[in-house]
């Protein structure tokens, strides 16, 4: 009899949890990642911005200290493991591996491979070297099937498009530039009649141009979120190398923004939250999903926890009332 009651209680708890906790929304995945983009703006201050990942391919942010420098690495979860796609160090060096239509996920590097490949830049340089420098060889930094972005806080930016056999430099004379999934891929492959994907790049450049002279954190995040895909949500990341701050938004309107402090190795709620929360970046890193947990003002989550606790407490009280007198009679 008591065993049957225990089963009944367990079933009731499971059913209660199922109805109290709201289901997680599932969105379609962006297969070709054609809304992945990046830009570098050299205005009164320098900014690096990019969209990456998705709801199904989350990002992880790792903090590391080495050679008297601080580093923030960005990893992409894909095929059940994390690959490093970007890095930023406290001297202002920024590196990003970005896909294009010919990539086909052939440019993925593990965390160790990424560090080894770009060690001279990450640990030994304070600026992006001249392409003709004898000290550095750009050839050894090439990652086949990718758009590579190298930038520093002094305004030097190098964009390299590469396929499986060769690479080409992408340059312009403006104080800002942008790279999209289809650009400069289309230009280098004479594929400008692809249904208007090059217009996407033009629109992005136009948006940056509107605020170029007074570019700010707010403008950068606004632009990144405006170019989010319709059927998915990417992670928008804006880096301010002049003060070593990294801003992250996980929604399409940048209503809630997190901030990573590269000086101190901390992450905190920056704007759009009812209360502030600050923590050290864990040694294993913090994912885009983990960032959402930092929002302790999440009313749905709080109500759910309280409701579950009340249901469990009520069940315990009822069981005591029903079975305590019966046990005394026996």
């Amino acid at each position: 009899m008591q065993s049957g009651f225990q089963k009944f209680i367990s079933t009731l708890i499971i059913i209660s949890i199922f109805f109290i906790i709201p289901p997680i929304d599932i969105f379609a995945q962006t297969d070709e990642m054609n809304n992945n983009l990046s830009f570098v703006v050299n205005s009164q201050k320098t900014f690096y911005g990019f969209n990456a990942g998705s709801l199904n391919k989350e990002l992880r942010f790792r903090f590391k200290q080495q050679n008297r420098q601080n580093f923030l690495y960005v990893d992409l979860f894909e095929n059940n493991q994390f690959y490093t796609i970007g890095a930023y160090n406290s001297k202002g060096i920024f590196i990003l591996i970005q896909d294009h239509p010919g990539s086909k996920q052939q440019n993925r590097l593990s965390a160790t491979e990424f560090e080894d490949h770009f060690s001279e830049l990450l640990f030994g340089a304070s600026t992006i070297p001249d392409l003709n420098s004898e000290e550095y060889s750009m050839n050894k930094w090439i990652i086949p099937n990718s758009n590579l972005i190298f930038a520093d806080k002094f305004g030097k930016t190098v964009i390299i498009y590469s396929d499986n056999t060769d690479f080409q430099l992408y340059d312009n004379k403006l104080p800002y530039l942008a790279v999209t999934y289809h650009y400069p891929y289309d230009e280098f492959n004479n594929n400008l009649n692809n249904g208007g994907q090059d217009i996407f790049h033009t629109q992005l450049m136009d948006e940056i141009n509107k605020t170029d002279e007074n570019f700010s954190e707010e403008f950068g995040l606004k632009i990144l979120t405006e170019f989010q895909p319709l059927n998915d949500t990417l992670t928008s990341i804006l880096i301010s190398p002049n003060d070593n701050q990294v801003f992250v938004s996980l929604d399409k309107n940048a209503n809630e923004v997190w901030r990573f402090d590269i000086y101190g190795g901390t992450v905190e709620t920056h704007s759009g939250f009812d209360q502030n929360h600050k923590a050290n970046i864990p040694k294993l890193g913090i994912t885009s999903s983990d960032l959402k947990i930092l929002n302790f003002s999440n009313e749905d989550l709080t109500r759910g926890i309280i409701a579950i606790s009340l249901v469990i407490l009520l069940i315990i009280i009822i069981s005591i009332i029903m079975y305590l007198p019966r046990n005394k009679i026996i």
Side-chain angles (χ1 to χ4, degrees):
M1 182 73 169
Q2 193 169 358
S3 176
F5 177 76
Q6 290 175 345
K7 290 181 180 178
F8 170 76
I9 295 298
S10 300
T11 303
L12 186 59
I13 291 174
I14 294 173
I15 295 174
S16 300
I17 293 174
F18 178 80
F19 281 103
I20 292 171
I21 298 179
I24 299 174
D25 294 330
I26 300 176
F27 295 86
Q29 183 173 334
T30 305
D31 294 327
E32 292 187 335
M33 311 304 287
N34 29 345
N35 283 87
N36 281 12
L37 57 87
S38 62
F39 59 72
V40 176
V41 176
N42 296 302
S43 182
Q44 296 180 12
K45 296 173 65 176
T46 297
F47 290 95
Y48 319 133
F50 63 101
N51 283 342
S54 69
L55 285 178
N56 297 308
K57 293 184 178 182
E58 68 177 350
L59 298 185
R60 179 179 66 183
F61 302 89
R62 289 183 295 112
F63 178 75
K64 185 175 182 179
Q65 294 179 306
Q66 186 173 337
N67 294 3
R68 298 182 180 179
Q69 291 188 73
N70 296 348
F71 303 84
L72 186 71
Y73 294 93
V74 181
D75 303 327
L76 173 70
F77 188 74
E78 193 173 68
N79 299 325
N80 295 318
Q81 61 181 311
F82 279 103
Y83 297 97
T84 301
I85 62 170
Y88 170 76
N89 71 13
S90 52
K91 289 186 177 181
I93 297 289
F94 173 61
I95 302 172
L96 180 67
I97 302 173
Q98 187 174 317
D99 287 338
H100 57 62
S103 297
K104 300 178 181 179
Q105 301 179 2
Q106 297 175 16
N107 53 26
R108 303 300 189 241
L109 299 179
S110 68
T112 302
E113 290 171 337
F114 187 98
E115 284 194 20
D116 291 343
H117 198 85
F118 299 112
S119 59
E120 288 182 84
L121 270 181
L122 285 172
F123 307 125
S126 57
T127 61
I128 301 300
D130 189 274
L131 296 181
N132 298 318
S133 172
E134 296 181 358
E135 183 180 358
Y136 295 94
S137 173
M138 193 62 67
N139 287 296
K140 62 185 176 183
W141 293 332
I142 301 300
I143 302 295
N145 304 297
S146 68
N147 293 317
L148 275 176
I149 294 92
F150 302 100
D152 63 39
K153 64 181 180 181
F154 303 104
K156 182 65 178 295
T157 304
V158 176
I159 307 294
I160 303 176
Y161 161 81
S162 64
D163 55 25
N164 200 32
T165 58
D166 198 8
F167 70 90
Q168 302 180 63
L169 298 179
Y170 163 59
D171 194 14
N172 64 228
K173 297 180 180 180
L174 297 172
Y176 55 89
L177 48 81
V179 178
T180 65
Y181 184 76
H182 278 277
Y183 195 91
Y185 174 87
D186 288 340
E187 184 176 81
F188 290 146
N189 288 274
N190 298 317
N191 187 30
L192 295 180
N193 297 317
N194 64 351
Q197 288 294 343
D198 55 313
I199 296 177
F200 183 80
H201 176 265
T202 301
Q203 291 173 340
L204 178 57
M205 293 287 281
D206 288 344
E207 285 299 312
I208 297 174
N209 181 59
K210 292 177 183 178
T211 55
D212 171 37
E213 294 182 0
N214 299 300
F215 203 89
S216 65
E217 163 217 326
E218 290 79 11
F219 288 139
L221 286 173
K222 179 176 180 291
I223 290 172
L224 288 170
T225 53
E226 278 183 357
F227 283 84
Q228 291 276 0
L230 295 176
N231 65 332
D232 206 347
T233 300
L234 310 186
T235 300
S236 295
I237 301 166
L238 187 75
I239 301 174
S240 175
N242 297 96
D243 49 16
N244 273 329
Q245 304 296 303
V246 178
F247 304 93
V248 176
S249 176
L250 305 176
D251 61 66
K252 295 180 184 293
N253 300 310
N255 292 325
E256 297 176 344
V257 178
W258 287 260
R259 178 166 58 87
F260 289 84
D261 182 359
I262 308 304
Y263 288 121
T266 59
V267 57
E268 65 179 300
T269 50
H270 176 67
S271 62
F273 297 91
D274 295 334
Q275 61 184 29
N276 179 263
H277 181 77
K278 184 176 182 179
N280 293 322
I281 304 173
K283 290 183 178 180
L284 295 178
I286 184 168
T287 67
S288 47
S289 296
D290 293 332
L291 286 177
K292 296 179 182 179
I293 302 175
L294 292 181
N295 180 10
F296 288 108
S297 63
N298 189 320
E299 297 180 357
D300 291 336
L301 178 61
T302 304
R303 284 198 297 265
I305 294 174
I306 294 174
I308 292 172
S309 301
L310 291 175
V311 168
I312 294 175
L313 180 61
L314 182 62
I315 291 173
I316 293 173
I317 293 174
I318 292 174
S319 64
I320 292 175
I321 293 174
M322 291 179 61
Y323 281 82
L324 188 59
R326 184 178 300 180
N327 289 335
K328 285 183 178 180
I329 293 174
I330 292 174

